[in-house]
Amino acid sequence: MKSTKKNKRHKLFIMSDFTLVELLVVIAIIAILASMLLPALNKARQKAKQISCTNQAKQLTLALTMYADSSQGYVPPRRNIADGSIAYSKPGWGGCLYQNKYLPNAKILVCPEATFYGYADKIFNATPVSGNAYYDWISYGINRYYAANDIGGKPYRFSNTKHPSTTVLIGDSIDQAPNGTGNLRGQELLMYPVANAAFLSPRLDNRHSNSAVVGWGDGHVTSEKNAWQNLQHKSNTTGFNPTL
């Protein structure tokens, strides 16, 4: 009888020990699979954000085109027009589209990959009221030729664009030069191309796996690899200048 009890205890010990080994093996396998799958999941998550950003840019290009159709061919410039020049009045082109109901909500003005950028949370909670300065820091910049200069200068009439399919209208933007000077936030403006990279601010932001989402004058949207390097860092202004 004692021998039987001893054998049972021995069997239970072996079974418990074997179960623990099995558990450790399973945990090790899960850890290995997780390390293999996480990069793929992160890549898929980034791709989903890029697709969402592309859809938002498409809505913005459409809204700008509709606005131009009802505004003598002009898109809303960087800031509101006053007698053909640019005044420092708010809310900028993004806020203007929202306030005039060309956009369903202000969230479209924030790229899903830039929700941690400065002022993004403010834009998310923006209401269609006049004077909201947070619209200056939206995730998408408009071509400076259409926005004109900060003070003075006239915006170029969007409807007169010679080659809309190859002229940038909007794009993922950042208020920061390539050397890091500036701020980690979006900007409602895109600087026209210049050869000196130190002056490329605000510029296209390669925040989608080294690519930027760009909306063109004819309404189509693309993902441009090394966008600011290829489209802005050059001596000629092709791709931005609507008169060429």
Side-chain angles (χ1 to χ4, degrees):
M1 190 71 179
K2 287 182 180 178
S3 177
T4 303
K5 287 183 179 180
K6 186 177 180 181
N7 289 338
K8 283 183 179 180
R9 289 195 195 98
H10 184 63
K11 286 179 181 179
L12 286 172
F13 175 76
I14 292 173
M15 288 176 67
S16 299
D17 191 49
F18 182 69
T19 302
L20 179 61
V21 171
E22 282 186 321
L23 181 61
L24 291 173
V25 169
V26 170
I27 290 172
I29 291 172
I30 291 172
I32 293 169
L33 289 174
S35 66
M36 294 170 63
L37 290 173
L38 278 176
L41 289 172
N42 287 333
K43 191 173 181 180
R45 190 180 295 111
Q46 290 170 356
K47 187 64 177 177
K49 289 181 178 180
Q50 184 177 4
I51 291 171
S52 181
C53 177
T54 299
N55 291 335
Q56 290 179 197
K58 184 70 177 176
Q59 291 182 68
L60 290 172
T61 55
L62 177 61
L64 285 165
T65 302
M66 291 172 63
Y67 182 97
D69 288 343
S70 60
S71 303
Q72 300 180 335
Y74 288 97
V75 296
R78 183 184 183 187
R79 293 187 170 92
N80 292 338
I81 298 177
D83 300 324
S85 62
I86 304 303
Y88 272 105
S89 55
K90 306 299 177 183
W93 70 268
C96 183
L97 291 178
Y98 178 38
Q99 288 182 10
N100 288 283
K101 304 187 185 304
Y102 286 94
L103 301 175
N105 56 66
K107 292 180 180 180
I108 293 174
L109 299 170
V110 178
C111 168
E113 197 67 78
T115 54
F116 62 94
Y117 281 23
Y119 298 103
D121 58 330
K122 306 291 186 183
I123 299 165
F124 265 131
N125 298 317
T127 55
V129 295
S130 178
N132 193 330
Y134 300 128
Y135 291 120
D136 289 356
W137 318 120
I138 61 178
S139 299
Y140 305 94
I142 195 168
N143 185 339
R144 189 165 185 167
Y145 282 94
Y146 299 122
N149 297 320
D150 292 340
I151 300 177
K154 292 183 179 181
Y156 187 81
R157 193 189 298 266
F158 174 66
S159 60
N160 288 346
T161 304
K162 288 194 173 181
H163 298 99
S165 64
T166 56
T167 303
V168 172
L169 176 56
I170 62 167
D172 284 328
S173 67
I174 187 169
D175 190 28
Q176 196 173 73
N179 62 7
T181 58
N183 302 281
L184 183 61
R185 62 189 182 194
Q187 237 285 6
E188 60 181 348
L189 183 71
L190 284 176
M191 176 61 109
Y192 38 66
V194 291
N196 190 339
F199 294 108
L200 275 180
S201 177
R203 61 180 170 86
L204 288 164
D205 185 17
N206 300 329
R207 54 178 168 249
H208 300 287
S209 301
N210 209 31
S211 298
V213 169
V214 175
W216 302 85
D218 67 344
H220 82 282
V221 176
T222 60
S223 175
E224 297 293 322
K225 198 77 172 176
N226 299 319
W228 72 263
Q229 296 93 325
N230 294 331
L231 293 172
Q232 286 178 287
H233 190 204
K234 55 184 184 176
S235 57
N236 68 77
T237 57
T238 55
F240 270 74
N241 192 334
T243 67
L244 299 179

